[in-house]
Amino acid sequence: MAENQPENAVWWKTSTVYQIYPRSFADTNGDGIGDVRGIIDRLGYLAHLGVDVLWLSPIYKSPQDDNGYDISDYQDIDPLFGTLADVDELITKAKEHNIRIIMDLVVNHSSDEHPWFVESRSSKDNPKRDWYIWRPAREDGSRPNNWSSFFSGSVWEWDEHTQEYFLHLFSKKQPDLNWENPELRRAVYDMMNWWLDRGVAGFRMDVINLISKVPGLPDGEQEPGHEFGNGFPLTANGPRLTEFLQEMHREVFAPRKEAFFTVGECPGIRAEYATEVTNPDNAMLDMVFQFEHVGIDQGNGKWDELPFDLLKLKESLGYWQTQLGEAGWNSLYWNNHDQPRIVSRWGNDTEYRELSAKLLGTVLHFHRGTPYVYQGEELGMTNFPFTDINQFQDLETLNHYREVVAHGGDTAAAMNGFRKFGRDNARTPMQWDGSVDAGFSKGTPWLAVNPNHEHINAAQQVGDPRSVFHYYRRLIALRKTDRVMAFGDFEMLLPSDSQVYAFTRTLGDEGLLVLANWSNEAIERTLEFARADMVTVMHNYEDAPAFDSALSLRPWEVVVYRW
Ligand code: ISL
Ligand code: CA
């Protein structure tokens, strides 16, 4: 383990990060959209929960094509969310609660309405032409390559004015920045320094492993009958990524004395490279978000549902625990604004909602790494009961639906995929109380509130010591004081058991044993693990069973013991 770092550099190893999707958190001016003042108003709630860091999804100036992941000014706040003065106030007031703020850094692409792109597209000899990725058509007039965009269609958009295509891995309103250009990189580092000088504690870096494109942008593999090829495996983790991340570290983070941390979103990163990236000796990033475990129930593309298989989950998370055990550091998450709600996905969101929410929280938080809680996860919020395509707002969902319709595909199957995996499941408003619109807004929320807010809400749970909220409070508090939970070695037990998730954490002669029944049935097992000195640390049923190697667990029961 990387204990070679000074203690003050590792504050984030005993921290819990809370992700806020500002648009859906708390609306103070009745326009139906959450805002920065709404976050300020709820700092007391967040301090009570005990989180150390808030990651804010983008609040910068943006046309909101992808809810702010399309930025037109990196150094200003969109009036939808408030002002720079509001953010300064948030930073100051959060600090009074010992909470740090980190910003979402979206620099794989900008908005097409960013002045940089407006200039870049104005002429072929504009000084900023090379800040984006422009290519002529191929000899036969076709697009420069066959890649499909993450949000459907081609990655290439034709520009009439200059008669060239520009690259966009995401929507056509999100042109990719050209990291090969040193002036562009300089502008990004200046902007990052400006935010750090303002008092933010670091960044979550959006798709940062896509910034170094594969040279020559060759065609991707194309399945027969498919209109596009897959460029993603070619262009993720590109050849200059290490160099760019090290340069960024040198230009932005290395000269600073104050505490900060970085987490890079890295779809398609492998554990070997993630170890390199998060090894402090290599001066790149503190942590990455990897996607392996959240892909285990998706087959051919994200809409293709495979049955949940606990063995696959254990194999994946166990592997990352071991791989990043010595030198790197893991980030731990079930949820974010792109993923469906975890109790609906892998728990039981009906009969065992509270028990399974607590089990999921326990299993995740007792792994080694820094845990992330996505707004509402601490209440056991669920997916939304979508019945109609018109209830969705997310461009990923709507674009895919249009494509299915255009190809005469199966719209009912597509709807099932959206219900299961659609990003709007995570984006319905935070459920503050049981009143109309859940206390989120006095106006009409931009996305409907889940009808179950009448019984799943913060007001009810804050007042109930047995709630999911209070259970999360205990998990978050424990990480700050329990060195075994934060730093102990991880070992998976019962690796081929398809119902039980069991593991130990050990540090010196202390240890933790986590036993979780990930199923609707009571189970009995014999554990090859015996100690007389076991004390119960956490449990999700009222009465905690004393440790016994003849293990018997009720549905969705989890118990943690210490020796
Ligand atoms: O959401 C996904 C699965 O459908 C991912 O493919 C996701 O698009 C990918 O992880 C990148 O996500 C990030 O960048 C996107 C933005 O839409 C997401 O919200 C953001 O988290 C483009 O900026
Ligand atoms: Ca508002």
Side-chain angles (χ1 to χ4, degrees), residues 2 4-5 12 189 192 205 208 240-256 260-264 273-288 327-329:
N4 54 339
Q5 297 177 69
W12 41 264
Y189 305 149
M192 293 172 73
M205 304 180 185
I208 201 69
R240 297 186 70 187
L241 183 58
T242 295
E243 176 198 338
F244 293 158
L245 292 176
Q246 288 178 337
E247 180 184 74
M248 177 192 281
H249 191 274
R250 214 165 45 237
E251 297 297 323
V252 180
F253 299 109
R256 292 178 182 271
F260 62 82
F261 91 86
T262 56
V263 51
Y273 186 50
T275 311
E276 228 178 276
V277 171
T278 62
N279 182 339
D281 295 343
N282 295 331
M284 288 190 255
L285 300 175
D286 295 325
M287 303 169 228
V288 301
W329 192 252

Side-chain angles (χ1 to χ4, degrees), residues 138-273:
R138 290 198 243 204
E139 297 263 286
D140 63 358
S142 64
R143 298 180 183 107
N145 72 23
N146 69 357
W147 298 359
S148 66
S149 145
F150 282 96
F151 294 155
S152 304
S154 165
V155 295
W156 296 104
E157 181 71 8
W158 179 248
D159 178 59
E160 272 304 323
H161 177 59
T162 56
Q163 296 285 301
E164 278 187 338
Y165 286 100
F166 67 84
L167 177 85
H168 61 90
L169 294 181
F170 294 89
S171 102
K172 63 179 183 212
K173 288 188 65 62
Q174 295 167 301
D176 281 55
L177 288 159
N178 179 19
W179 276 72
E180 302 292 324
N181 182 303
E183 283 166 34
L184 173 271
R185 300 206 298 277
R186 182 74 257 157
V188 170
Y189 305 149
D190 288 349
M191 175 271 282
M192 293 172 73
N193 276 312
W194 184 87
W195 276 107
L196 290 172
D197 291 345
R198 237 184 156 89
V200 306
F203 301 96
R204 173 270 186 184
M205 304 180 185
D206 194 65
V207 288
I208 201 69
N209 67 327
L210 302 185
I211 58 176
S212 164
K213 310 302 189 226
V214 55
L217 308 178
D219 278 342
E221 211 174 296
Q222 194 163 353
E223 287 179 43
H226 281 235
E227 191 180 355
F228 298 104
N230 188 2
F232 170 65
L234 291 175
T235 207
N237 315 309
R240 297 186 70 187
L241 183 58
T242 295
E243 176 198 338
F244 293 158
L245 292 176
Q246 288 178 337
E247 180 184 74
M248 177 192 281
H249 191 274
R250 214 165 45 237
E251 297 297 323
V252 180
F253 299 109
R256 292 178 182 271
K257 284 195 194 65
E258 70 274 24
F260 62 82
F261 91 86
T262 56
V263 51
E265 190 205 25
C266 297
I269 196 167
R270 286 152 40 86
E272 293 74 10
Y273 186 50

Side-chain angles (χ1 to χ4, degrees), residues 330-342:
N330 272 295
S331 58
L332 309 170
Y333 76 95
W334 294 136
N335 275 117
N336 59 41
H337 63 293
D338 295 331
Q339 300 291 332
R341 293 278 177 184
I342 197 65

Side-chain angles (χ1 to χ4, degrees), residues 84-123:
L84 271 174
D86 293 336
V87 174
D88 290 341
E89 188 180 328
L90 173 63
I91 294 170
T92 307
K93 293 208 164 134
K95 206 170 187 179
E96 290 165 12
H97 293 282
N98 280 320
I99 294 176
R100 295 177 163 104
I101 306 288
I102 68 163
M103 299 294 273
D104 213 313
L105 181 82
V106 189
V107 290
N108 172 69
H109 43 268
S110 73
S111 164
D112 65 339
E113 297 181 35
H114 194 293
W116 295 346
F117 188 73
V118 174
E119 277 196 50
S120 183
R121 81 184 320 172
S122 68
S123 76

